Amino acid sequence: MTGNGPSPALAAFVADGASLATGPAAELALEAIGDCLGCALAGHGDRVSGIVRRAEERSGEGPCSVLGSTRRLPAAAAAMVNGTAAHALDLDDNFGPMFGHASAVLVPPLLALAEERDATLADLVDVYLIGLEVARFVGEAVSIEHYRRGWHATSTIGAIAAAAAVARLMRLDSKHCLSALSIATSLASGSKQQFGFGLKAAHAGLAARAGLIAAFLASDGLDTTPEPLAGPWGFVALFGGSPEGIEQALAGLAAVRAGGPPAIVTHGLKPKLHPCCASAHAALDALLDLARLHDLAAGEIAAVTVELRRTSFDNLPFADPADPMQARFSLPYALAAGLAGGGLRLADFTPPAVARTELRPLMARITMRVADTDSPLADPTLSGEPALVRIELQDGRRLERLRRYQRGVRAEPFTLAERRRKLADCLAASPLAARTAEAVELLLAPDPAMPVRELMAALTPSGR
């Protein structure tokens, strides 16, 4: 290991850190892996997934499974395809410290390499948790400023986290882990300007692929700078962070190395109940709360005003979406469709569903605005993406609800029934629809001792 900076410290943790796969952390990781697989199976038939799959099939056959298909591809190609599919429908989890989607970039490359190496799910849990810690580390180092500047952290921070997880699974030493992290900082890219367009879904696949490529190049001895994160030209300074952010990240890393709880326990993941941008979730949950409490129907509502923080507001630019991709980044559509159906399902994001004329009157009565300094959302103790929903009814009554966080977070986790319902929705939209019940139970409680090859075979359509 070269030097004493943050990058060598992080590389040493990846290479030599004790396993985090114990107790609640291991259980939460297995849940996240199952959730990600369900999302990828549902996303297999998406238009963007098809484009990416056809492009990657040009690289020829390989040993690694493509979820929802009988095709097998080289590891990097499989990671690209499965990562894109996992993120295609925007139903995959978020991770607060990285301001992005964690499992969609971590699970696909690990599945591909695990198939090659005949690893078990228990092996995957260990390296997944390490990757999540690296995502936390880099996220804290660059801070929310990284995301505010317009970087899509799923494809920037995600690439570095994926490289770390793959390097751990490959059992690279600290020197080669450092090279993998360094290479990944050069592969990290992706702008939030792609939100509402197909490339946004492919960002997760690109990050998953980049993680594998970085680790492969490092294992073969590609030389790199020994300090890719710190310094005036380092990743942190270039991508919005500060020396203070690095110090915070190092303190968090030291706490975990000393035996403290890992990020999946302290911060938790944010699995999704609604297949749309997470910035809409707290507002939708608040509206559904009010609808249940007061037995509301769309026709009773005269106006809805939603206050959001600036970052959330900017992530939802489409007032009248023209297609399913734009609809995933439209708060008026999410609220109107969610109220009509008592929640959102994958079926709400098809061209006919988005074109429903009966939703337009309510959509036109929904207003978004950025919370000002007098808003309850200005409370610094509120983290994440809270929302304040105010409803004016036709009879003059006024209702209000502040949602501090979306459903599914650590403070308000999904029930087993909700997890089962989500996976059933995913599987019903997949090539495994005929085996939905069996596949759902497998993903709800996968056996850690199960070889990944066996798991992937169980999730492959008949004919392989």
Side-chain angles (χ1 to χ4, degrees), residues 273-276 284 288 333-334 337-338 341-346 348-349 425:
L273 203 57
H274 314 297
C276 62
L284 177 55
L288 294 176
Y333 180 80
L344 291 175
R345 299 289 182 269
L346 291 171
D348 288 307
F349 294 89
D425 196 28

Side-chain angles (χ1 to χ4, degrees), residues 45-131:
D46 181 75
R47 181 186 67 87
V48 176
S49 298
I51 291 170
V52 169
R53 186 168 59 252
R54 289 189 294 274
E56 292 297 335
E57 283 173 351
R58 294 177 178 141
S59 60
E61 294 287 325
C64 302
S65 300
V66 173
L67 287 160
S69 171
T70 57
R71 293 296 301 266
R72 299 174 71 81
L73 296 174
M80 175 72 182
V81 174
N82 289 333
T84 300
H87 190 43
L89 304 181
D90 229 314
L91 193 51
D92 55 306
D93 63 35
N94 286 84
F95 181 50
M98 74 175 282
F99 323 110
H101 299 260
S103 295
V105 298
L106 290 174
V107 174
L110 295 176
L111 289 173
L113 189 61
E115 279 197 282
E116 282 193 343
R117 297 186 165 231
D118 200 21
T120 67
L121 267 173
D123 297 322
L124 240 65
V125 167
D126 168 63
V127 297
Y128 172 89
L129 290 169
I130 293 293

Side-chain angles (χ1 to χ4, degrees), residues 1 29 37 80 101 113 143 162 206 253 319 346-347 381 395 439 443 459:
M1 185 174 70
L37 288 168
M80 175 72 182
H101 299 260
L113 189 61
S143 78
L206 289 165
L253 185 69
L346 291 171
T381 65
D395 63 10
L443 296 178
L459 298 175

Side-chain angles (χ1 to χ4, degrees), residues 236-317:
V236 172
L238 292 177
F239 283 72
S242 65
E244 292 77 18
I246 292 175
E247 290 304 313
Q248 178 185 346
L250 284 168
L253 185 69
V256 173
R257 293 215 73 164
I264 200 169
V265 174
T266 56
H267 293 82
L269 291 163
K270 298 178 182 179
K272 287 184 169 186
L273 203 57
H274 314 297
C276 62
C277 179
S279 296
H281 282 219
L284 177 55
D285 288 337
L287 179 66
L288 294 176
D289 291 343
L290 289 170
R292 282 190 291 268
L293 285 168
H294 300 278
D295 194 24
L296 296 180
E300 298 177 75
I301 296 175
V304 178
T305 302
V306 180
E307 287 189 15
L308 299 168
R309 288 176 172 172
R310 168 57 70 180
T311 301
S312 301
F313 181 93
D314 289 344
N315 285 345
L316 301 166

Side-chain angles (χ1 to χ4, degrees), residues 132-462:
L132 208 60
E133 288 301 322
V134 172
R136 178 202 62 79
F137 184 100
V138 180
E140 289 183 353
V142 295
S143 78
I144 188 64
E145 180 62 24
H146 176 71
Y147 194 73
R148 287 180 180 143
R149 288 189 181 189
W151 293 107
H152 187 200
T154 300
S155 53
T156 53
I157 298 172
I160 302 169
V166 172
R168 171 84 167 199
L169 187 56
M170 292 177 70
R171 297 186 175 88
L172 300 186
D173 61 22
S174 59
K175 174 184 175 182
H176 291 91
C177 283
L178 179 55
S179 293
L181 295 171
S182 192
I183 294 165
T185 62
S186 286
L187 297 176
S189 187
S191 165
K192 289 196 325 181
Q193 194 154 324
Q194 301 297 345
F195 283 18
F197 298 91
L199 181 57
K200 192 261 189 183
H203 277 176
L206 289 165
R209 193 181 209 280
L212 270 176
I213 291 171
F216 289 167
L217 290 172
S219 70
D220 280 340
L222 183 61
D223 56 306
T224 66
T225 176
E227 186 44 81
L229 295 176
W233 288 356
F235 179 88
V236 172
L238 292 177
F239 283 72
S242 65
E244 292 77 18
I246 292 175
E247 290 304 313
Q248 178 185 346
L250 284 168
L253 185 69
V256 173
R257 293 215 73 164
I264 200 169
V265 174
T266 56
H267 293 82
L269 291 163
K270 298 178 182 179
K272 287 184 169 186
L273 203 57
H274 314 297
C276 62
C277 179
S279 296
H281 282 219
L284 177 55
D285 288 337
L287 179 66
L288 294 176
D289 291 343
L290 289 170
R292 282 190 291 268
L293 285 168
H294 300 278
D295 194 24
L296 296 180
E300 298 177 75
I301 296 175
V304 178
T305 302
V306 180
E307 287 189 15
L308 299 168
R309 288 176 172 172
R310 168 57 70 180
T311 301
S312 301
F313 181 93
D314 289 344
N315 285 345
L316 301 166
F318 299 101
D320 188 16
D323 56 49
M325 186 60 75
Q326 290 185 4
R328 293 187 181 103
F329 297 89
S330 169
L331 186 65
Y333 180 80
L335 297 188
L339 185 62
L344 291 175
R345 299 289 182 269
L346 291 171
D348 288 307
F349 294 89
T350 62
V354 173
R356 284 176 287 178
T357 56
E358 63 268 27
L359 297 181
R360 263 54 195 179
L362 179 56
M363 289 171 62
R365 298 196 293 271
I366 296 171
T367 301
M368 295 167 51
R369 70 184 188 88
V370 178
D372 57 31
T373 55
D374 295 328
S375 168
L377 271 62
D379 181 350
T381 65
L382 284 177
S383 61
E385 297 190 89
L388 177 62
V389 173
R390 293 188 174 100
I391 300 176
E392 182 180 341
L393 298 178
Q394 299 286 2
D395 63 10
R397 286 182 295 156
R398 296 176 183 273
L399 307 174
E400 179 177 308
R401 189 162 182 90
L402 171 65
R403 257 279 178 183
R404 300 174 65 90
Y405 39 72
Q406 69 191 59
R407 304 252 351 269
V409 300
R410 186 168 52 104
E412 192 177 344
F414 297 146
T415 65
L416 180 60
E418 287 172 326
R419 291 177 54 218
R420 180 176 281 112
R421 188 161 57 246
K422 173 182 175 177
L423 287 172
D425 196 28
C426 288
L427 271 294
S430 82
L432 271 67
R435 291 191 278 132
T436 292
E438 169 194 346
V440 165
E441 295 310 312
L442 175 63
L443 296 178
L444 276 175
D447 180 0
M450 177 184 285
V452 171
R453 288 179 185 171
E454 184 179 324
L455 173 67
M456 296 301 275
L459 298 175
T460 299
S462 59

